[in-house]
Amino acid sequence: MKVLCVAEKNSIAKAVSNILSGGQLTTKNTNFPYVKNYEFTYSGFNFTGSNASCEVVMTSVAGHLTGVDFDNQQYGWGKCNPSELFDANLSNTKNKDQQKIAENIRKSARNVDYLMIWTDCDREGEYIGWEIYEEAKKLNNRLNDNTLYRAIFSHLERNHILGAARNPQRLDKRAVDAVGTRIELDLRTGVSFTRLLTDTMARKVQASQQQSMPPPNNSNSNKKENVVVSYGPCQFPTLGFVVDRFERIRNFKKEEFWTIQLVVSEQDQGVQSNNITNFQWDRGHLFDRLAVLTFYELCLELAGNKARVVDIKSKQVNKWRPLPLTTVELQKNCSRYLKMNARDSLAAAEKLYQKGFISYPRTETDTFPPSMDLKSLVEKQGQENSSAWFAYAKNLLDTNNNNHNKFKFPRSGSHDDKAHPPIHPIIGLGRDASITVNERRVYEYVVRHFLASCSEDGKGQMTSISLNWNDEIFNANGLVVLERNWLDVYPWMKWENSKTMPRLEMNQEVIISKAEMKNGYTSPPKPMTESELIMLMDANGIGTDATIAEHIEKIKARKYITSDKVGKDSYLNPTILGVALVHGFETIGLEDSFAKPFQRREMEDDLKKICGGTLTRRDVVTDIINKYKGYYNRTNQNKNRLLQVYDQVKRSLS
């Protein structure tokens, strides 16, 4: 029996081949330098009907094997009305590298009995698997749905890979259809609107950018940079979030507010202590100075400097350990804590996965299966004594010490994509591991997050005291941290003791050391951080966990937003063009479809319905394309309004 196995990347093909072959394999070059063929024998496939050894060739692609595009002769830029692209025929394309990889797939598949797909186990991986299958059967008519199998795996640990080889499944054709739908819709809507917007605005935008640029001083000064005003159904809602925050800041008007604060000193209560506690007004703050002044003067007049204790509560509080790690949470927290952008953090995580250090980093799941042996993973982190968390991991499993912090199975979140477990470490990182600085930082974050999720919650004692000052209630809270637990391995989260609370009793009359009427001002929101943007995109269904970083980078590349560093933090701000595009579509009545997340969220919901079998690809494509034809016609009829808004924004921001 002969079996062809195909992975999504050469590094995965090499790692899997080494495991299945026990290191006894032959490596052969292909016509594409970054793809190798690994040949070996293996007897663990159950679909062969026997335990006989199979001749295996394992190879890979390098991402997608094909692209989708319009015929350039008929539908190239300037050769047709952009509106024709909504109904134009599409064809599969291959660049030179893809052609070389496809040729290797065809040659390798020519005489095999079975094809086994080892691409990443997500929607995109299913689609790439289908591309491989379509190519492989061109020279082998024995390959069909009955001889096609799919390995299900989430990391490169040996026993896990052997289990995946022994228990294959089938390609998910519904997931293939869902990805094909997204590719087709993004192409048709993106290209048609990009051409319309570029034809309408590029000349004006280019002239404006040249005016604002410093005079060139090199030999290429006469070269003009072509401006492309691109549209993407994920790019525009992403831009919309940044512009919305920018406008809230720009239009913010500070308001003065007033509040009352009581200061209580234990010394004034006859206690030998320097402890001073501030009690905050239960009403918070009010924007009516006269109203606050009336309350303040009445209290002074009728109660003087005396208040009464009306409530004392003391309760145990927990600082919850983090949920298991998802892709979005990884990108968000690497941006927030490590100051790494989403693209770099995900790229580092991908490399760590390919090298076998962590599990598959593209997952929406925040729940570990109960059967998963997490203690063994913690144990591995307690064996590598060169790491900063070695002692913590070792103590987590030590049943002989008096440490309160013991291993505890992680909390379960509400998401499970049924494909991959949460991101977690697979093996310890040796002192001499060949990884980059970014990969090391991301690995450390993954490990610390995993260990924290397997720990006890932080435990503390919260005390609350309420005072009645002429029927106005004032509160103070104090926290004593009793057990830090997971916080000891997670340095990015703070949970500290607060100021000691005064020793008071119920109904005790308290001497007020100072009663103040204080004022303050509301403050504008801060500019958008990448961490916040990732969170907004995820909450609103813009992009997938794997593509969020791409959409952010795209609107940076198109000069719709900039990333501006202030101190240690970086903030995202829109450019004149970015603001003009959002307001331009608002002006022509398309803000809900373009600059807001509703249209994209609806499409993502439809893709899930395709996966669930309640909608077909034809249903979704027909519905959304009909909507976009209407959007296109409205935009085309209001092109001058887009130019007018650009001029208005330029004047207001210059």
Side-chain angles (χ1 to χ4, degrees), residues 306-434:
K306 295 179 180 179
R308 185 169 300 279
V309 179
V310 292
D311 194 21
I312 299 178
K313 292 178 181 175
S314 186
K315 63 178 181 179
Q316 182 173 311
V317 292
N318 288 353
K319 186 71 170 177
W320 302 108
R321 59 212 167 114
L323 287 168
L325 188 60
T326 65
T327 307
V328 169
E329 199 69 14
L330 172 73
Q331 293 174 97
K332 186 178 73 176
N333 289 342
C334 284
S335 174
R336 182 181 176 191
Y337 301 140
L338 308 184
K339 309 306 178 188
M340 291 176 63
N341 65 42
R343 177 188 59 187
D344 291 345
S345 60
L346 190 56
E350 286 275 4
K351 288 293 185 182
L352 289 167
Y353 160 66
Q354 293 168 23
K355 295 173 182 178
F357 289 112
I358 68 172
S359 63
Y360 187 60
R362 298 175 187 262
T363 177
E364 299 174 5
T365 301
D366 53 10
T367 300
F368 279 109
S371 59
M372 196 163 172
D373 183 9
L374 302 184
K375 283 188 176 182
S376 66
L377 298 176
V378 174
E379 188 176 12
K380 290 177 182 177
Q381 297 301 322
Q383 293 171 348
E384 183 53 64
N385 60 12
S386 64
S387 71
W389 52 87
F390 155 75
Y392 184 94
K394 193 176 179 66
N395 289 336
L396 204 59
L397 298 177
D398 188 354
T399 57
N400 297 320
N401 64 30
N402 295 321
N403 180 22
H404 292 290
N405 190 28
K406 305 293 185 185
F407 174 87
K408 193 169 184 179
F409 200 84
R411 296 192 293 141
S412 292
S414 58
H415 300 93
D416 188 352
D417 61 16
K418 306 297 183 185
H420 298 291
I423 305 168
H424 59 275
I426 301 301
I427 59 174
L429 189 66
R431 192 189 307 271
D432 300 322
S434 178

Side-chain angles (χ1 to χ4, degrees), residues 577-621:
L577 177 57
V579 175
L581 286 170
V582 170
H583 290 331
F585 280 103
E586 287 175 352
T587 301
I588 63 177
L590 289 178
E591 67 271 24
D592 286 352
S593 305
F594 281 68
K596 302 294 186 198
F598 311 126
Q599 177 67 56
R600 187 64 184 195
R601 186 192 302 161
E602 179 184 330
M603 193 194 87
E604 291 293 340
D605 289 341
D606 286 345
L607 297 185
K608 291 178 182 177
K609 290 176 182 177
I610 293 175
C611 292
T614 57
L615 284 178
T616 67
R617 175 172 177 172
R618 181 183 293 275
D619 293 335
V620 177
V621 170

Side-chain angles (χ1 to χ4, degrees), residues 478-653:
L479 171 69
V480 176
V481 176
L482 303 175
E483 298 174 22
R484 287 179 52 79
N485 296 333
W486 67 273
L487 295 157
D488 286 332
V489 79
Y490 201 86
W492 307 283
M493 186 67 68
K494 304 298 180 186
W495 202 46
E496 307 290 347
N497 292 337
S498 62
K499 198 169 181 65
T500 306
M501 294 291 287
R503 286 163 284 183
L504 302 174
E505 297 178 359
M506 276 293 292
N507 297 317
Q508 177 180 343
E509 189 174 77
V510 175
I511 304 299
I512 299 170
S513 304
K514 186 189 296 182
E516 292 183 292
M517 180 174 162
K518 306 181 78 172
N519 72 323
Y521 293 90
T522 56
S523 56
K526 289 185 177 179
M528 184 77 73
T529 64
E530 187 168 276
S531 177
E532 289 177 291
L533 183 56
I534 292 168
M535 186 168 58
L536 283 169
M537 293 172 71
D538 179 52
N540 287 278
I542 302 303
T544 64
D545 51 8
T547 62
I548 281 176
E550 296 173 16
H551 300 314
I552 296 174
E553 292 304 314
K554 177 63 73 174
I555 60 174
K556 287 180 185 176
R558 291 302 184 200
K559 299 181 180 177
Y560 296 164
I561 67 170
T562 60
S563 180
D564 304 315
K565 197 165 183 65
V566 180
K568 293 182 178 180
D569 297 314
S570 293
Y571 295 105
L572 303 175
N573 289 298
T575 62
I576 290 173
L577 177 57
V579 175
L581 286 170
V582 170
H583 290 331
F585 280 103
E586 287 175 352
T587 301
I588 63 177
L590 289 178
E591 67 271 24
D592 286 352
S593 305
F594 281 68
K596 302 294 186 198
F598 311 126
Q599 177 67 56
R600 187 64 184 195
R601 186 192 302 161
E602 179 184 330
M603 193 194 87
E604 291 293 340
D605 289 341
D606 286 345
L607 297 185
K608 291 178 182 177
K609 290 176 182 177
I610 293 175
C611 292
T614 57
L615 284 178
T616 67
R617 175 172 177 172
R618 181 183 293 275
D619 293 335
V620 177
V621 170
T622 300
D623 176 56
I624 292 181
I625 288 300
N626 284 338
K627 290 177 180 177
Y628 267 91
K629 286 178 179 178
Y631 305 153
Y632 183 95
N633 290 335
R634 180 179 290 191
T635 305
N636 194 39
Q637 291 165 8
N638 291 275
K639 289 190 291 188
N640 288 336
R641 289 294 298 134
L642 296 179
L643 296 173
Q644 291 167 8
V645 170
Y646 180 84
D647 288 335
Q648 292 167 4
V649 170
K650 182 183 174 184
R651 286 194 298 270
S652 67
L653 296 182

